Amino acid sequence: MIRSIWDKYGAQFTRFFVVGVGATILHWGIYVLLNNIFGLTKEDELALSCTYTAGYVLSFIGNYFASLKWTFKTEGSVSKGLGFMFSHAVNYLMHIGLLNLFLLLNVGSYLAQAVQFCMPWLAESIPAAADPANLLPLPVFMVVVPVNFLLVRFFLTRDAQQA
């Protein structure tokens, strides 16, 4: 049973994970870059949401093409594109909602303290690595990635499932 589940979903999830890691690195990199360019801190809540959104949109574009061609090995269509956009609209709402919830709960500061305690060399050599605003997306990614896999998989493979 486990073998058949792995055969059906495991390889797809592995490819999804690889594409997702790339999209997440791109998203987070753009977010951190924009935060540093504009000198944003955890007090700049609206601006952080804007830089987070900019990173999300740019990573979304690459993610769509990689998900179609490599993760799910399927051709694009209007309905798949709309489904992908819908799943990512839901995903974005989870992202931005959790980002702001974690901002309210001061999660970024707790993560920064953990980095400073566990890896003081990192905090000293790369101050951005211990910046609460820059660390805030990490727990968001942990929550939304599994949900996003299920949504994207549904919308990009439903034609094959119906056949």
Side-chain angles (χ1 to χ4, degrees):
M1 164 122 178
I2 291 176
R3 179 70 180 166
S4 66
I5 291 171
W6 173 256
D7 289 344
K8 187 169 183 175
Y9 302 111
Q12 276 185 350
F13 186 80
T14 301
R15 291 189 304 269
F16 177 86
F17 182 79
V18 170
V19 168
V21 166
T24 300
I25 289 170
L26 179 61
H27 177 190
W28 192 32
I30 291 167
Y31 170 79
V32 170
L33 177 68
L34 292 174
N35 288 349
N36 287 313
I37 287 171
F38 296 117
L40 302 179
T41 67
K42 66 180 183 171
E43 285 78 29
D44 300 312
E45 294 149 355
L46 180 58
L48 290 174
S49 291
C50 290
T51 58
Y52 194 84
T53 299
Y56 188 90
V57 168
L58 293 172
S59 72
F60 166 83
I61 294 166
N63 190 349
Y64 175 68
F65 291 107
S67 292
L68 273 177
K69 299 297 180 189
W70 190 61
T71 303
F72 299 107
K73 299 182 185 210
T74 186
E75 294 298 316
S77 69
V78 172
S79 67
K80 287 178 184 178
L82 291 173
F84 192 82
M85 284 193 301
F86 174 76
S87 68
H88 276 273
V90 171
N91 188 41
Y92 172 76
L93 292 174
M94 288 188 304
H95 269 268
I96 206 71
L98 287 171
L99 179 82
N100 284 286
L101 174 65
F102 293 158
L103 188 58
L104 181 69
L105 296 175
N106 211 22
V107 171
S109 294
Y110 297 125
L111 291 173
Q113 290 172 3
V115 168
Q116 290 169 349
F117 179 76
C118 296
M119 297 178 279
W121 57 270
L122 181 63
E124 287 178 21
S125 60
I126 308 172
D131 183 320
N134 292 342
L135 295 172
L136 197 56
L138 297 179
V140 174
F141 297 145
M142 287 185 251
V143 173
V144 299
V145 167
V147 174
N148 191 40
F149 170 74
L150 296 173
L151 286 170
V152 169
R153 184 184 185 289
F154 172 78
F155 285 111
L156 293 185
T157 63
R158 66 183 165 167
D159 293 344
Q161 293 169 354
Q162 293 170 354

